[in-house]
Amino acid sequence: MAHVFSDKIILVEGRSDKLQLLTLLDESPEIICTNGTISDVKLEELLSPYDGLPIYAFLDADKSGEQIRSVVRKEYPEAIHLYTNPMYGEVANTPAKVLASILKRVNIKVKKEFLP
């Protein structure tokens, strides 16, 4: 199968978040890690190669996640924000079925075995 270029971007904080999402996905969006808090300049550097693609910000429910989210809101007001339940704290700690239902609500394809 030929490599299909992504038609969307999912922005996460760290590698563990990315790995958690990769196990669920039934499509191949580009998953970009901020590796912690980020400046608007750094965010623009990360996302500029993907100009025009929809951006999904799936960040942790903590102070660092909120800081990144505010930079994303400022620089990319069109970005779609996905939220994990604060009781899980991090995307990586959120149960697979919960993540799958969050992704499915915004029409990101997930593997059937993770759907309720």
Side-chain angles (χ1 to χ4, degrees), residues 8 27 56 102-110:
K8 60 186 69 116
E27 61 176 291
Y56 295 83
I102 293 167
L103 293 166
K104 189 173 184 330
R105 277 199 300 263
V106 294
N107 298 315
I108 294 175
K109 295 183 187 87
V110 290

PDB file of all heavy atoms in Angstrom, residues 8 27 56 102-110:
ATOM      1  N   LYS A   8      -5.024  15.435   8.121  1.00  0.00           N
ATOM      2  CA  LYS A   8      -5.276  16.161   9.366  1.00  0.00           C
ATOM      3  C   LYS A   8      -4.097  16.012  10.311  1.00  0.00           C
ATOM      4  O   LYS A   8      -3.285  15.099  10.161  1.00  0.00           O
ATOM      5  CB  LYS A   8      -6.583  15.738  10.027  1.00  0.00           C
ATOM      6  CG  LYS A   8      -6.655  14.266  10.393  1.00  0.00           C
ATOM      7  CD  LYS A   8      -8.024  13.851  10.903  1.00  0.00           C
ATOM      8  CE  LYS A   8      -9.091  13.866   9.877  1.00  0.00           C
ATOM      9  NZ  LYS A   8      -9.709  12.599   9.548  1.00  0.00           N
ATOM     10  N   GLU A  27      -6.890   5.394  10.732  1.00  0.00           N
ATOM     11  CA  GLU A  27      -6.445   6.268   9.656  1.00  0.00           C
ATOM     12  C   GLU A  27      -5.077   6.773  10.078  1.00  0.00           C
ATOM     13  O   GLU A  27      -4.606   6.437  11.157  1.00  0.00           O
ATOM     14  CB  GLU A  27      -7.441   7.405   9.397  1.00  0.00           C
ATOM     15  CG  GLU A  27      -7.665   8.330  10.572  1.00  0.00           C
ATOM     16  CD  GLU A  27      -8.587   9.492  10.211  1.00  0.00           C
ATOM     17  OE1 GLU A  27      -8.139  10.348   9.422  1.00  0.00           O
ATOM     18  OE2 GLU A  27      -9.715   9.534  10.690  1.00  0.00           O
ATOM     19  N   TYR A  56      -6.172  19.224  15.213  1.00  0.00           N
ATOM     20  CA  TYR A  56      -6.894  18.760  16.395  1.00  0.00           C
ATOM     21  C   TYR A  56      -5.916  18.827  17.557  1.00  0.00           C
ATOM     22  O   TYR A  56      -4.896  18.141  17.537  1.00  0.00           O
ATOM     23  CB  TYR A  56      -7.382  17.320  16.210  1.00  0.00           C
ATOM     24  CG  TYR A  56      -8.413  17.195  15.104  1.00  0.00           C
ATOM     25  CD1 TYR A  56      -8.014  17.086  13.775  1.00  0.00           C
ATOM     26  CD2 TYR A  56      -9.768  17.212  15.398  1.00  0.00           C
ATOM     27  CE1 TYR A  56      -8.951  16.990  12.751  1.00  0.00           C
ATOM     28  CE2 TYR A  56     -10.714  17.115  14.370  1.00  0.00           C
ATOM     29  CZ  TYR A  56     -10.295  17.005  13.066  1.00  0.00           C
ATOM     30  OH  TYR A  56     -11.220  16.917  12.059  1.00  0.00           O
ATOM     31  N   ILE A 102     -14.017   9.992  21.977  1.00  0.00           N
ATOM     32  CA  ILE A 102     -13.694  11.414  21.782  1.00  0.00           C
ATOM     33  C   ILE A 102     -13.282  11.644  20.329  1.00  0.00           C
ATOM     34  O   ILE A 102     -13.737  12.582  19.672  1.00  0.00           O
ATOM     35  CB  ILE A 102     -12.578  11.870  22.753  1.00  0.00           C
ATOM     36  CG1 ILE A 102     -13.075  11.831  24.200  1.00  0.00           C
ATOM     37  CG2 ILE A 102     -12.070  13.275  22.392  1.00  0.00           C
ATOM     38  CD1 ILE A 102     -11.972  11.955  25.254  1.00  0.00           C
ATOM     39  N   LEU A 103     -12.421  10.782  19.810  1.00  0.00           N
ATOM     40  CA  LEU A 103     -11.943  10.907  18.427  1.00  0.00           C
ATOM     41  C   LEU A 103     -13.084  10.701  17.427  1.00  0.00           C
ATOM     42  O   LEU A 103     -13.204  11.434  16.451  1.00  0.00           O
ATOM     43  CB  LEU A 103     -10.815   9.913  18.169  1.00  0.00           C
ATOM     44  CG  LEU A 103      -9.528  10.179  18.947  1.00  0.00           C
ATOM     45  CD1 LEU A 103      -8.614   8.964  18.893  1.00  0.00           C
ATOM     46  CD2 LEU A 103      -8.819  11.420  18.432  1.00  0.00           C
ATOM     47  N   LYS A 104     -13.920   9.694  17.682  1.00  0.00           N
ATOM     48  CA  LYS A 104     -15.019   9.377  16.774  1.00  0.00           C
ATOM     49  C   LYS A 104     -15.991  10.556  16.660  1.00  0.00           C
ATOM     50  O   LYS A 104     -16.521  10.822  15.583  1.00  0.00           O
ATOM     51  CB  LYS A 104     -15.748   8.125  17.252  1.00  0.00           C
ATOM     52  CG  LYS A 104     -16.759   7.615  16.243  1.00  0.00           C
ATOM     53  CD  LYS A 104     -17.322   6.289  16.693  1.00  0.00           C
ATOM     54  CE  LYS A 104     -18.261   5.628  15.739  1.00  0.00           C
ATOM     55  NZ  LYS A 104     -19.055   6.455  14.883  1.00  0.00           N
ATOM     56  N   ARG A 105     -16.208  11.276  17.763  1.00  0.00           N
ATOM     57  CA  ARG A 105     -17.130  12.427  17.741  1.00  0.00           C
ATOM     58  C   ARG A 105     -16.706  13.509  16.756  1.00  0.00           C
ATOM     59  O   ARG A 105     -17.538  14.273  16.293  1.00  0.00           O
ATOM     60  CB  ARG A 105     -17.242  13.049  19.142  1.00  0.00           C
ATOM     61  CG  ARG A 105     -18.234  12.319  20.040  1.00  0.00           C
ATOM     62  CD  ARG A 105     -18.666  13.170  21.209  1.00  0.00           C
ATOM     63  NE  ARG A 105     -17.568  13.571  22.067  1.00  0.00           N
ATOM     64  CZ  ARG A 105     -17.216  12.958  23.190  1.00  0.00           C
ATOM     65  NH1 ARG A 105     -17.868  11.887  23.598  1.00  0.00           N
ATOM     66  NH2 ARG A 105     -16.211  13.406  23.914  1.00  0.00           N
ATOM     67  N   VAL A 106     -15.396  13.586  16.447  1.00  0.00           N
ATOM     68  CA  VAL A 106     -14.927  14.584  15.475  1.00  0.00           C
ATOM     69  C   VAL A 106     -14.542  13.911  14.144  1.00  0.00           C
ATOM     70  O   VAL A 106     -13.746  14.426  13.376  1.00  0.00           O
ATOM     71  CB  VAL A 106     -13.759  15.447  16.026  1.00  0.00           C
ATOM     72  CG1 VAL A 106     -14.245  16.316  17.178  1.00  0.00           C
ATOM     73  CG2 VAL A 106     -12.578  14.593  16.443  1.00  0.00           C
ATOM     74  N   ASN A 107     -15.128  12.731  13.915  1.00  0.00           N
ATOM     75  CA  ASN A 107     -14.964  12.002  12.653  1.00  0.00           C
ATOM     76  C   ASN A 107     -13.531  11.570  12.352  1.00  0.00           C
ATOM     77  O   ASN A 107     -13.122  11.503  11.199  1.00  0.00           O
ATOM     78  CB  ASN A 107     -15.534  12.800  11.477  1.00  0.00           C
ATOM     79  CG  ASN A 107     -17.014  13.016  11.645  1.00  0.00           C
ATOM     80  OD1 ASN A 107     -17.735  12.091  11.984  1.00  0.00           O
ATOM     81  ND2 ASN A 107     -17.455  14.246  11.449  1.00  0.00           N
ATOM     82  N   ILE A 108     -12.769  11.268  13.413  1.00  0.00           N
ATOM     83  CA  ILE A 108     -11.461  10.642  13.230  1.00  0.00           C
ATOM     84  C   ILE A 108     -11.710   9.138  13.353  1.00  0.00           C
ATOM     85  O   ILE A 108     -12.341   8.687  14.315  1.00  0.00           O
ATOM     86  CB  ILE A 108     -10.442  11.157  14.260  1.00  0.00           C
ATOM     87  CG1 ILE A 108     -10.162  12.643  14.004  1.00  0.00           C
ATOM     88  CG2 ILE A 108      -9.145  10.341  14.184  1.00  0.00           C
ATOM     89  CD1 ILE A 108      -9.260  13.311  15.030  1.00  0.00           C
ATOM     90  N   LYS A 109     -11.260   8.392  12.359  1.00  0.00           N
ATOM     91  CA  LYS A 109     -11.562   6.959  12.319  1.00  0.00           C
ATOM     92  C   LYS A 109     -10.746   6.194  13.365  1.00  0.00           C
ATOM     93  O   LYS A 109      -9.534   6.333  13.435  1.00  0.00           O
ATOM     94  CB  LYS A 109     -11.268   6.396  10.932  1.00  0.00           C
ATOM     95  CG  LYS A 109     -12.168   6.963   9.860  1.00  0.00           C
ATOM     96  CD  LYS A 109     -11.864   6.310   8.513  1.00  0.00           C
ATOM     97  CE  LYS A 109     -12.612   6.964   7.395  1.00  0.00           C
ATOM     98  NZ  LYS A 109     -11.898   8.130   6.836  1.00  0.00           N
ATOM     99  N   VAL A 110     -11.465   5.369  14.138  1.00  0.00           N
ATOM    100  CA  VAL A 110     -10.810   4.526  15.138  1.00  0.00           C
ATOM    101  C   VAL A 110     -11.166   3.065  14.864  1.00  0.00           C
ATOM    102  O   VAL A 110     -12.183   2.775  14.234  1.00  0.00           O
ATOM    103  CB  VAL A 110     -11.222   4.926  16.583  1.00  0.00           C
ATOM    104  CG1 VAL A 110     -10.646   6.262  16.966  1.00  0.00           C
ATOM    105  CG2 VAL A 110     -12.716   4.938  16.751  1.00  0.00           C
TER     106      VAL A 110
END
